[in-house]
Amino acid sequence: LAALREAEVRLVSTQERISDGLAGARIALENTSDADALRSRISEARSATNEARDAYTQAQAAFDAHRREVANETARLSGIETEIEEWTRRRGAATEQIASLEERKAAAQADKTAAEEIPAEVEEKRKALLGAFETAERERGIAGDKLAAAEADLKTAEDALRTAQSALSEAREARARIEATLEGAKGRQDEIADRIREVLGCAPADVLEAGNVQVKGEFPPLEKIEARVERLKRERENMGAVNLRADQEAQEIGEQLEQMTNEREELEQAIAKLRQGISALNREGRERLLGAFDTVSQNFERLFTKLFGGGMAQLRLVESDDPLEAGLEVFARPPGKRLQSMSLLSGGEQALTAISLIFAVFLVNPAPICVLDEVDAPLDDANVERFCNLLDEIKAETGTRFLIITHHALTMSRMDRLFGVTMSERGVSQLVSVDLAGAEELAATG
C-alpha cells in the first residue's frame, strides 16, 4: 500500500508537470510564430504525455493487483482468526476432557486398588466356607442315618395304617350298602302305601278286603299281577276322557273369534288411515324440504361468494328423485378454479365452504344465541377478516349474539367483549373479562 501511495504521488506530480508543460506550450504557441519548433514541442509534449499515461496505466494496474491481493489477505486473515477461535474453543474442550479423564483415571486407579485387595478377602472367606462345609457334611451324614431309620419306622407304621384304613373302608362301604338298601326298601314301601291310599282310598292293610280278594294259599307271581294291572290301565286310557265343558268352550271360542274379526277390521281401517297420514306427511315433508333446500341453497351461494370474494357454489340432491331419500352433495368453485366436489378442496377452502353452509342453514331459522368453537382455526388472516365481517352482517340482520371460542388474535380484536381464564397463583384459576367496545368508547371520549 505504501508503494502504491508513492506511485500515486509520482503520477500526480508527473501529471502536474505535464499540465504545466502543456500550459507553457500553449503560451509559447501564442507567443511564437515558428510552426516547426511549435510542432516539435507539441510532439515532445505528446510523447511525454503518452509515456506518462502508460506509466499511469501500469501504476493503476499494479494498484488494482495490490488491492485485490490485500483483499485476499484480509479474507485469509479473517478465516485464520475464525480457525484460531475454533481451535481455542477445541483446546478448551480438550482441556476439560483431559481433566475429566484424569478424574476418571484416579477413580479407576482407586477401584483397581480396591479390587486388588478383594482376592485375599475372597480366599479367607473360601477357607472359612470350606471348613463350614466339611462340618455341615459330617452333620449331614449323621442326620441321613437318623433319617433312614426314621423312614423305615414310618414305612412300617404307614403299612399298618393302610391295612387298618382298608378294613375300615370296607366296613363303611358294607354298612352304607345295607343302609341304602334299607332306605330304598322303606321308600318303596312308603310309595306303595301312598299309591294304595291315592288309588284305592284305603289303608294298605285293607287292600284285600276293598278288592273282595280272597287269598287261598299263596299270592300269584308279581310279574303276572303287574302285567294284568298294565293291561287294565291301557283299556281305561283307550276309553278316553269325557269333556263336560265342550259346549261352553265352543261358545267362548266363537265369541273370541268374533271379537278378533272386529279387531282385524278396526286394524285394517287404522292402517288405511295411517297410510293416508304418512302419504300426506311425506307430501308436506317434500314440499317443506324443497322450500327449505331452495332457501339454504340461495343463502349458501350468497355467503360462499362473500367469504371467497367471488366464485360460486351449489347444493345438489343426488342418488334419488325423492327428496326424502336423496343425498346431499356440495359443489364449489373458488375464484380461479373449476367447479368440483367439496371433498377435493384444500383444508382452508373446505373450512370456508363448511362455514358458508352452516350459516346458510342458520339463516333459515336464526337463533338468539349461536356458539362457535374454533371455526377460524384453519383460516389465514385474510379469511378471518372476511369471517368476522360475515358475523357482523349476520348480527345486524338477525340480532343473534355470537359466543366464539378462538385463539386467533384478529378474531379477538373484532369482538365486543373477551372472556379468558388466567392463573394468577399456581393451581388457582380466575375468570377475566374485557369490554373492548366500552374501552374503545372510553378511549374516544378521552
Side-chain angles (χ1 to χ4, degrees), residues 400-421:
T400 301
R401 294 293 185 93
F402 288 96
L403 300 179
I404 302 177
I405 302 170
T406 181
H407 293 285
H408 205 290
L410 184 57
T411 305
M412 297 181 189
S413 65
R414 295 289 299 272
M415 297 297 105
D416 296 333
R417 181 179 292 272
L418 295 180
F419 295 93
V421 179

Side-chain angles (χ1 to χ4, degrees), residues 15 25-26 55-56 61 68 98 231 256 272 313 371 393 395 415-416 418 440:
Q15 186 177 7
R26 288 176 178 173
Y56 179 77
R68 287 192 298 271
I98 289 171
R231 180 174 57 80
Q256 292 178 1
V371 181
E393 294 180 5
K395 175 184 175 183
M415 297 297 105
D416 296 333
L418 295 180
E440 290 179 356

Side-chain angles (χ1 to χ4, degrees), residues 358-359 362 367-372 391 394 400-404:
I358 290 173
F359 282 115
F362 179 78
I369 297 176
C370 179
V371 181
L372 303 176
L391 292 182
I394 296 175
T400 301
R401 294 293 185 93
F402 288 96
L403 300 179
I404 302 177

